[in-house]
Amino acid sequence: MDRLAILSLATLLTFLNVDNALAVNASAGTFAVSQRCEAFQSFKNKTNPGNLAVEPGQTYPIAEVNREQFQWVRVKVGSGKNNLRWVSADCGEVDGLVMSEAGAQACRVPDKYDSYVLAVTWQPGFCEHDRGGPAKPECKAMKSGALTVNHFTLHGLWPNKQACGIDYGQCNGAELNLSADTVDYIKPWMPNFHYGTQFGNYEWKKHGVCQTAMTDDAYFRFAVDLLKSFNDSQAGEYIRSNVGGEVSREQVYSKLADEFGSKDARNNFLLICSGDYLEEIRVSLPKDFKGERTLKGVIGQAFLPRQATDRSECRAERIRIEASGAGA
């Protein structure tokens, strides 16, 4: 089996076993049930052999939670060997929860990532329509007309560990100490750097320190290069040529398919919207960059077996592309 097939199989198995992949062991804690709820063998697939349920007034020791910021708890329901079941945390009250040391720290260990996510922002859409946008100094400058941004910008490059879901990050590592040349290289593509390095420092401490293959200078320069390659791609040019108007979601994916030579390329891209307005595009990347510095080179043919989902993903066929300072 070739390397790509192994990668695809491993990714698929992660999706299929997502309940256990995200589990974090608990060394203490109880779950007091306040309403009747189903007890699932797999909460993702909603499987419930035997139609088991928990009832109000029952209290169970917690074996696992689905991640540190949990939505599901795993408890023993009945005496059968397959009766360790997942119950929604909304169905009761958790008390005294303590994560096992291994479980609590597993998502904060550097170099345990199995992939990356590149997040690129459509800055005008973010500034005008995201709840946190207007307070940003670059957004204030765009609204006043002091700054114009008409290209994609860098949100971040995130080492990713499938077993941790969205919780892999905040590893121990060196402080951010960028050279002046690197700051100048970043500024046009991460406009918060015009006003300081607070956001860059946040991204480095949360994500960058979880990889040690690159220094902070190399990490940010590489992220900018990947961003620029998307900005100049067929899909990026299509979006930028329709500022102040609309694009077709399917046309964006079609242009990605043309660029990468496969319709499966869409599986590595997720469009994020605020309402009908484009805010961000997230790109799934393999762990090994192979010495490449463009998205096409890094991804190659390593396409995911299916597209990720997000509650903020763009669902409408027509997506609006905000212009810089449009809310002024």
Side-chain angles (χ1 to χ4, degrees):
M1 186 180 294
D2 63 26
R3 181 179 176 278
L4 177 57
I6 292 171
L7 175 64
S8 298
L9 177 61
T11 305
L12 179 59
L13 288 174
T14 298
F15 275 105
L16 295 178
N17 295 288
V18 66
D19 295 356
N20 290 332
L22 295 178
V24 178
N25 292 337
S27 58
T30 58
F31 184 62
V33 181
S34 59
Q35 58 181 301
R36 188 180 191 279
C37 288
E38 281 195 82
F40 296 110
Q41 193 171 74
S42 166
F43 60 79
K44 178 179 182 292
N45 297 318
K46 298 297 187 290
T47 54
N48 184 6
N51 295 317
L52 299 183
V54 294
E55 303 287 346
Q58 297 173 331
T59 300
Y60 300 91
I62 298 173
E64 294 175 304
V65 295
N66 68 312
R67 57 166 63 108
E68 288 189 64
Q69 301 298 321
F70 58 89
Q71 296 111 354
W72 296 86
V73 297
R74 203 176 191 200
V75 299
K76 183 77 169 179
V77 182
S79 57
K81 65 178 182 179
N82 294 322
N83 289 352
L84 194 61
R85 298 296 182 90
W86 293 101
V87 179
S88 171
D90 293 335
C91 298
E93 294 292 329
V94 173
D95 183 55
L97 181 65
V98 177
M99 307 295 185
S100 68
E101 186 63 23
Q105 299 302 320
C107 295
R108 297 175 185 167
V109 179
D111 297 328
K112 297 300 183 182
Y113 55 92
D114 47 40
S115 57
Y116 276 85
V117 172
L118 175 73
V120 301
T121 299
W122 183 251
Q123 197 76 39
F126 169 79
C127 286
E128 293 297 334
H129 302 286
D130 189 274
R131 182 173 58 183
K136 303 289 185 182
E138 63 272 27
C139 294
K140 291 179 179 179
M142 289 168 64
K143 190 167 186 176
S144 72
L147 176 68
T148 298
V149 179
N150 53 17
H151 53 70
F152 283 93
T153 61
L154 177 64
H155 182 168
L157 178 63
W158 308 333
N160 184 50
K161 184 178 179 181
Q162 291 284 353
C164 296
I166 63 173
D167 294 327
Y168 184 63
Q170 298 177 327
C171 307
N172 290 326
E175 296 293 319
L176 184 69
N177 185 26
L178 297 174
S179 70
D181 285 346
T182 296
V183 171
D184 288 341
Y185 192 79
I186 296 169
K187 277 181 183 179
W189 303 98
M190 204 170 186
N192 185 262
F193 271 75
H194 286 292
Y195 308 98
T197 59
Q198 181 179 3
F199 183 59
N201 190 56
Y202 169 83
E203 286 293 307
W204 175 250
K205 285 186 174 180
K206 184 174 182 181
H207 300 289
V209 293
C210 287
Q211 60 77 46
T212 62
M214 295 177 279
T215 65
D216 50 0
D217 284 289
Y219 169 82
F220 276 99
R221 283 176 175 267
F222 179 65
V224 167
D225 288 348
L226 293 180
L227 158 69
K228 289 165 67 176
S229 75
F230 176 79
N231 190 69
D232 295 337
S233 69
Q234 293 181 37
E237 289 180 353
Y238 170 57
I239 292 168
R240 290 187 291 110
S241 67
N242 285 280
V243 170
E246 297 179 341
V247 298
S248 159
R249 183 184 63 178
E250 287 306 311
Q251 187 68 5
V252 172
Y253 288 129
S254 176
K255 289 186 178 295
L256 289 169
D258 290 344
E259 186 102 15
F260 285 86
S262 172
K263 62 181 178 59
D264 292 333
R266 69 183 293 155
N267 294 343
N268 288 53
F269 291 80
L270 187 63
L271 309 182
I272 302 297
C273 282
S274 291
D276 294 333
Y277 288 89
L278 182 66
E279 181 177 329
E280 185 165 280
I281 298 177
R282 296 176 191 159
V283 190
S284 296
L285 306 175
K287 179 181 180 179
D288 182 7
F289 294 145
K290 305 181 290 292
E292 300 283 350
R293 300 191 72 85
T294 67
L295 286 182
K296 188 174 180 180
V298 168
I299 295 174
Q301 295 293 299
F303 305 124
L304 298 183
R306 67 190 74 178
Q307 192 178 46
T309 59
D310 188 275
R311 63 182 180 181
S312 297
E313 66 186 277
C314 305
R315 300 182 187 278
E317 165 57 17
R318 306 301 299 180
I319 300 172
R320 301 175 71 178
I321 310 300
E322 188 69 272
S324 184

